[in-house]
Amino acid sequence: MSLSSDFSGSLVPEWADVKELEDKVKASGWKDGRKYGLIENLFLENFICDMIFEQKFNELNKSLLDDLTEAEKREVLDHVKNVLRSAAEDLLLDYLRYGVEYTVKRSEKRTFRLIDFANPQNNSFVYAREIKYPGSPRNVKPDFTLFINGIPIAIIEVKPSTRIESEQEAIDQIRRYEQESPELFRYVQLAIAYGHRKLFLPTYPNWKRETRLTPAQPWKIEKQQGEDTIKIESIDYLLQPTTLLNVIKWFTFFREKDGSIDKIIGRYNQYYATEKAVKRISEYLENEGRGSGLVWHWQGSGKTYTMFFIANKYFEEYFERNPLIFFVVDRIDLQRQLRDFLEGLKAPRFKSYLKIIGSIEQLKEEIAAIKRSEYKQNIVTRGIYIVLIQKFQINELESHLINLALEHLNYINQRNREEYEKIRRELDVLPEDEKKKRLIELGGIQKREVLLLIDEAHRSQYGLLASMMKNVFPN
């Protein structure tokens, strides 16, 4: 904290903004770090607050540690700390999300959690003022550090709100910290510039001390103004522990771009769209809602990011139900752009299931495998696909669905003659066109865990291609 001069030369106190922010942080559920020994100007040489970290590690992993001796428990803890000290920033983010694996009792692999994302109340949320961290040529001292389970996850730099564009000074200082203490930013996932405007930005080590131009972003919330709903800038929502957990778990990713590594964090519109979309999906899969939705976007709003965030969260949350995702586009250049974007992300499990459907024959093969998995126990289909809507040609896929229906009926005939005869009788009384329609329905994918994300294919959505796609995926 300091006294700063504005453009007119008058002194503008920063302490009022610090006090305002501290009150907000406390009200959001963060505990005062002084209770844990995190006093101002404390030099935190190893970046992590060991006392909090060890306590929460033991609590979160109690069931995994109970059958170990004290020496074995210490061995596990030391291993986890060593892993965190040496991990590259992208791996460290994965450890925060998924935990650290270690072999105990010679052959048993166990994954030890650092953060409990499913149960936020099980974590420790602590803020501290002006903690010093090792740096070169000088140590760094952010105004605020937010610790989750003793790990520094976010920093906040405060500048006088009464000075226009003072947030840019905070951003410049944060960028300097990334250069002077890159080790700190292996842990710190984002920073907030708290000045005239309140903006957030992704942070990561700047080992090469390069100039970074990634713009900081506002967070917006909806507010009622008379009969209208308007959006206003407010960083308060992002300060809430549950929001920050959600952002780290689902909206923070490293990526390779133009031969270098950078980091993305979802913007407020992408965050809200993803949360609403996944909620709609969840309700649908629990038979409580409809199975479609529309996300409105504007130029530059980042719809590709939104599509990925939705797809990734859905895929991870329903992984055990063998989810399927189809990104549907209507131009080759969009397919290429989407593929390049997804392949550049540091999302290994997501990318391991990613396929480009390059031909109608390949699409037919994938449809057949999915259909057979619905009634054959030894077939498991789980995947993420990018496909042109032009692949859904009616003259190719209608006959394919009919053949899949007949194949399924033959399977039923071999295992349940009574059920087979019932379906045959229903088909036999139908006129030929109705019988064909019914067979196409029987050949379609009945699986509910299929997500179609349609980008720029709206021009094709009301013709034969869309009709055929709906025949393939009626649910």
Side-chain angles (χ1 to χ4, degrees):
M1 183 176 69
S2 62
L3 292 178
S4 303
S5 299
D6 69 5
F7 60 88
S8 65
S10 62
L11 291 176
V12 181
E14 192 176 292
W15 63 263
D17 297 293
V18 170
K19 180 67 169 64
E20 174 192 79
L21 175 58
E22 188 164 15
D23 289 343
K24 285 183 179 180
V25 168
K26 284 181 179 178
S28 296
W30 298 84
K31 295 180 180 178
D32 191 334
R34 285 172 290 195
K35 298 176 182 177
Y36 303 89
L38 293 169
I39 59 175
E40 292 182 23
N41 294 309
L42 176 72
F43 183 59
L44 208 55
E45 186 175 6
N46 293 322
F47 306 100
I48 290 174
C49 178
D50 284 326
M51 182 181 74
I52 300 175
F53 179 82
E54 292 187 14
Q55 178 187 339
K56 296 310 296 184
F57 182 84
N58 290 329
E59 288 177 9
L60 294 180
N61 299 288
K62 186 177 185 303
S63 63
L64 299 177
L65 296 168
D66 274 350
D67 64 340
L68 303 182
T69 66
E70 290 304 313
E72 289 170 332
K73 291 177 184 177
R74 189 73 238 176
E75 181 183 319
V76 169
L77 186 60
D78 288 345
H79 170 77
V80 170
K81 284 185 173 183
N82 287 333
V83 165
L84 296 183
R85 288 191 192 104
S86 61
E89 50 270 24
D90 56 334
L91 278 178
L92 202 146
L93 177 57
D94 282 343
Y95 293 142
L96 293 176
R97 279 203 273 245
Y98 307 117
V100 178
E101 188 177 81
Y102 188 60
T103 302
V104 298
K105 298 186 178 297
R106 296 187 178 179
S107 61
E108 185 182 338
K109 288 185 178 180
R110 297 181 185 178
T111 300
F112 297 89
R113 291 181 299 170
L114 305 177
I115 297 174
D116 188 344
F117 289 95
N119 304 285
Q121 70 278 5
N122 292 341
N123 301 292
S124 163
F125 301 101
V126 170
Y127 77 90
R129 289 281 325 282
E130 298 190 322
I131 299 296
K132 288 183 182 178
Y133 301 97
S136 176
R138 54 191 165 186
N139 298 330
V140 302
K141 187 171 69 172
D143 287 324
F144 285 80
T145 303
L146 302 182
F147 293 87
I148 299 179
N149 298 339
I151 303 169
I153 293 295
I155 64 164
I156 308 174
E157 198 60 36
V158 184
K159 298 299 174 185
S161 60
T162 51
R163 191 163 66 241
I164 302 299
E165 295 186 352
S166 60
E167 69 279 353
Q168 189 55 52
E169 298 172 40
I171 292 168
D172 292 343
Q173 198 159 337
I174 291 163
R175 291 308 189 199
R176 177 170 61 78
Y177 290 161
E178 288 179 313
Q179 295 182 10
E180 294 179 345
S181 185
E183 289 284 347
L184 171 63
F185 290 91
R186 291 189 305 110
Y187 300 97
V188 172
Q189 300 302 313
L190 64 87
I192 292 172
Y194 197 90
H196 181 69
R197 295 177 71 196
K198 283 69 175 168
L199 307 176
F200 75 94
L201 58 155
T203 55
Y204 54 108
N206 192 345
W207 303 103
K208 296 180 180 179
R209 304 198 173 207
E210 300 168 323
T211 300
R212 286 183 175 164
L213 302 175
T214 306
Q217 299 290 338
W219 195 276
K220 294 186 179 183
I221 60 172
E222 290 186 345
K223 183 179 180 181
Q224 203 66 28
Q225 189 176 73
E227 296 182 357
D228 299 324
T229 300
I230 62 171
K231 287 185 172 67
I232 62 168
E233 290 188 12
S234 174
I235 207 69
D236 298 6
Y237 187 78
L238 185 57
L239 288 172
Q240 294 177 13
T242 51
T243 305
L244 194 54
L245 284 178
N246 221 11
V247 167
I248 294 165
K249 176 75 172 177
W250 302 115
F251 298 91
T252 304
F253 290 90
F254 286 92
R255 66 174 175 179
E256 293 183 27
K257 186 181 180 183
D258 301 327
S260 61
I261 302 293
D262 70 356
K263 190 178 188 180
I264 61 172
I265 292 181
R267 290 185 273 172
Y268 74 92
N269 58 302
Q270 298 158 354
Y271 179 94
Y272 293 134
T274 299
E275 293 299 283
K276 288 180 179 179
V278 174
K279 184 174 184 289
R280 173 75 58 84
I281 293 167
S282 176
E283 290 170 349
Y284 169 71
L285 292 177
E286 300 303 323
N287 298 310
E288 295 175 357
R290 59 194 177 101
S292 62
L294 180 64
V295 179
W296 289 98
H297 280 280
W298 60 92
Q299 186 69 30
S301 64
K303 63 178 178 289
T304 303
Y305 292 82
T306 305
M307 291 172 68
F308 165 69
F309 292 140
I310 293 170
N312 181 65
K313 187 169 185 180
Y314 161 71
F315 193 70
E316 290 287 343
E317 290 201 333
Y318 291 93
F319 190 79
E320 298 306 320
R321 291 173 64 165
N322 301 321
L324 294 157
I325 298 169
F326 286 82
F327 292 96
V328 183
V329 297
D330 69 348
R331 300 203 316 267
I332 292 175
D333 62 320
L334 290 175
Q335 179 177 265
R336 183 174 59 252
Q337 290 170 18
L338 180 58
R339 179 201 63 202
D340 291 346
F341 170 78
L342 294 175
E343 289 183 347
L345 292 171
K346 297 278 188 175
R349 182 151 84 164
F350 186 91
K351 292 195 300 183
S352 70
Y353 287 92
L354 181 63
K355 289 183 184 179
I356 310 295
I357 295 181
S359 66
I360 294 175
E361 283 305 310
Q362 186 183 352
L363 176 59
K364 288 161 72 173
E365 289 172 6
E366 297 294 347
I367 292 170
I370 297 167
K371 182 63 185 177
R372 289 165 187 150
S373 73
E374 293 180 345
Y375 58 88
K376 291 186 177 181
Q377 298 298 316
N378 61 336
I379 299 177
V380 176
T381 55
R382 182 192 284 137
I384 302 164
Y385 307 92
I386 301 176
V387 61
L388 287 167
I389 196 170
Q390 287 83 354
K391 299 286 191 296
F392 290 87
Q393 293 293 327
I394 191 168
N395 58 327
E396 292 277 354
L397 294 184
E398 268 196 353
S399 58
H400 186 57
L401 294 185
I402 290 171
N403 288 336
L404 288 175
L406 295 174
E407 182 182 316
H408 188 195
L409 286 173
N410 183 53
Y411 183 88
I412 294 172
N413 185 31
Q414 296 174 16
R415 285 157 180 79
N416 189 335
R417 183 72 181 182
E418 183 179 345
E419 177 67 16
Y420 171 78
E421 291 296 339
K422 179 183 175 183
I423 298 172
R424 288 303 312 182
R425 285 194 297 272
E426 290 175 359
L427 291 169
D428 288 343
V429 299
L430 294 175
E432 282 303 312
D433 57 339
E434 290 296 319
K435 182 177 180 180
K436 177 182 177 182
K437 183 179 178 181
R438 180 61 180 142
L439 284 171
I440 290 173
E441 290 176 356
L442 290 172
I445 307 300
Q446 304 305 313
K447 180 181 175 72
R448 293 171 66 83
E449 294 81 5
V450 180
L451 175 62
L452 303 180
L453 291 165
I454 301 168
D455 176 24
E456 293 289 340
H458 47 78
R459 292 171 294 242
S460 313
Q461 285 309 292
Y462 301 101
L464 293 176
L465 297 173
S467 176
M468 193 65 247
M469 186 169 64
K470 290 173 183 175
N471 284 335
V472 174
F473 303 111
N475 287 331

